[in-house]
Amino acid sequence: MKQKRRAFDASFKLQVVQMIKDQGLSVGQVCRDMGLGETAVRRWLVQLDAEQSGQAGIGKPLTVEQQRIRQLEAENRQLRQDNDLLKKASAFFARELK
């Protein structure tokens, strides 16, 4: 029988990782106590380490700062695309006026 995939929000992931780091608990113990998979928790640890060292990391960001950075990067990307489109449109209409 296949188990349903569970989804965890960033704050829960951050809490679990901080329990391991701050309280010195082992990954295996935390996973057994909370019913989590070790692979996922180890991935969260790597993600947080990457974010704290200033890298983007993989997957969804855990820290608020990284979430905000990703949001701003996406907004910046969208604005650049919009700007390029407007430049092309203005060039097109400028040729039509001549």
Side-chain angles (χ1 to χ4, degrees):
M1 220 175 191
K2 202 171 186 179
Q3 287 184 348
K4 185 179 177 183
R5 185 180 181 107
R6 297 182 293 173
F8 303 103
D9 64 340
S11 63
F12 177 78
K13 293 176 185 180
L14 192 56
Q15 272 184 323
V16 171
V17 170
Q18 286 176 339
M19 277 182 16
I20 293 169
K21 288 186 169 270
D22 297 342
Q23 298 175 11
L25 301 172
S26 71
V27 174
Q29 182 63 41
V30 170
C31 291
R32 280 189 296 279
D33 291 346
M34 300 187 80
L36 301 169
E38 281 192 42
T39 305
V41 173
R42 290 187 192 283
R43 195 175 328 116
W44 300 343
L45 281 165
V46 170
Q47 175 75 24
L48 184 65
D49 288 340
E51 288 179 11
Q52 288 177 340
S53 68
Q55 301 170 0
I58 54 171
K60 293 181 182 177
L62 298 178
T63 61
V64 175
E65 294 85 15
Q66 284 296 322
Q67 291 172 359
R68 182 71 177 143
I69 288 170
R70 292 251 181 113
Q71 177 189 8
L72 290 172
E73 286 174 345
E75 185 178 329
N76 191 359
R77 202 171 23 257
Q78 181 63 44
L79 290 172
R80 286 180 190 268
Q81 290 174 350
D82 293 347
N83 198 14
D84 289 342
L85 178 67
L86 290 172
K87 284 180 185 178
K88 290 176 184 177
S90 65
F92 174 77
F93 288 118
R95 279 195 310 253
E96 292 292 319
L97 292 176
K98 290 183 181 180

